[in-house]
Amino acid sequence: MTSTRLALMFPGQGAQRPGMGLPWHRTPGWSVVAEVSEAAGRDMESLLLDAGTETLRRTDNAQLTTFTLALVALTELRHQHPLAAFPGACAGHSLGEYSALVAAGILDPQDAVRLIVARGAAMQSACERAEGAMAAILGLDTAGAQHVVDAIHADGGQVWVANLNSPQQTVIAGLAADVERCSRAAERAGAAKVVALTVGGAFHTPLMAEAVEPFAAALATARFMPGHSAVVSNVDARAHRGGPHWAELLRHQLTAPVRWSDTLHTLTTELACDRLMEIGPGRTLTGLAKATVPRVPRDTFSDPQTSLAPAPAA
């Protein structure tokens, strides 16, 4: 690992898949699973090894499993490469922000688990009150996607921009029927493709407002430490050190869009990180980095056998 400024990135909900713990089962990092199970009061080993697609699709299960595997991967990465313990900066997409806060030393893993349990339960409850959906608009720039959303809004639709992922990928969310209407309108506006996401609700929109109050009660009990690395927040794409202000950022994150494209620019420009590494299940963030900051080398640590030779810039 030769980068002088390594940024660690952590995926969010949607990265989970059946059997995703199998490659890690006999690694030193797997010890984390028992610790998370105790803190969460859940059998995380069974969820990571045996759970099916429908079980993992539930918001509360998806969040816990994705976080747990990210923590396993982070622990294994630090076992193999101790320099990863002190990254130049961290960031996480939605749920992944909790992994980033742990990696930066701002949030204790046990507190993170308790917050994720509370967050998942509050969001699952909100999902059950409204039939929400999400879809990724591909091949249409941010302004074009926003224009389509605004038009549906003007026609009485409940749909919003939820993730600003890259210059050519915007995720929309809202009531299922309105997301469908917006998807068709995006295709007519020139989108190359619109992909429905297999999630349980309309995350990062006002439809999650009912989750805010119960989750705020959990946030009030968490301790946000000074930490050793900055974390770029989803809600404002700015670098933040540790401190109690993170409670408000995480509360606001429930209903605010994820500014991921701007986050990548903050990591690589303002914070001068010259290498990006995605840690945990999947390669989604690596792909978004290629589309957004193509000249910055990137790696994915999603398997314990991953080679960490320098990645090509494009």
Side-chain angles (χ1 to χ4, degrees), residues 239-261:
H240 295 266
R241 292 286 175 175
H245 62 285
W246 269 106
E248 175 61 19
L249 290 169
L250 293 175
R251 185 197 66 78
H252 190 40
Q253 192 218 57
L254 288 176
T255 55
V258 174
R259 296 176 56 188
W260 190 252
S261 183

Side-chain angles (χ1 to χ4, degrees), residues 35-118:
E35 298 171 12
V36 175
S37 295
E38 182 177 359
R42 301 288 304 277
D43 182 357
M44 296 310 304
E45 181 163 311
S46 177
L47 282 171
L48 288 169
L49 300 178
D50 305 321
T53 301
E54 285 306 309
T55 298
L56 293 177
R57 185 180 178 182
R58 276 185 57 97
T59 297
D60 45 1
N61 291 335
Q63 294 192 29
L64 267 177
T65 52
T66 301
F67 170 79
T68 303
L69 199 65
L71 204 57
V72 169
L74 176 64
T75 303
E76 183 65 20
L77 178 67
R78 288 174 168 175
H79 178 76
Q80 296 184 22
H81 301 277
L83 288 177
F86 299 97
C90 301
H93 194 286
S94 188
L95 167 73
E97 194 156 82
Y98 293 81
S99 305
L101 289 167
V102 171
I106 294 172
L107 193 57
D108 178 87
Q110 304 299 311
D111 265 352
V113 172
R114 286 189 285 271
L115 288 178
I116 290 167
V117 169

Side-chain angles (χ1 to χ4, degrees), residues 9-17 20 62-67 70 91-99 119 163 199 203-204 234 253 258 260 278-282 284-285:
M9 309 183 300
F10 297 88
Q13 186 173 337
Q16 74 280 355
R17 63 186 185 277
M20 64 182 180
Q63 294 192 29
L64 267 177
T65 52
T66 301
F67 170 79
H93 194 286
S94 188
L95 167 73
E97 194 156 82
Y98 293 81
S99 305
R119 182 181 189 263
N163 303 156
V199 295
F203 307 130
H204 302 290
N234 284 186
Q253 192 218 57
V258 174
W260 190 252
E278 180 177 4
I279 299 173
T284 297
L285 302 185

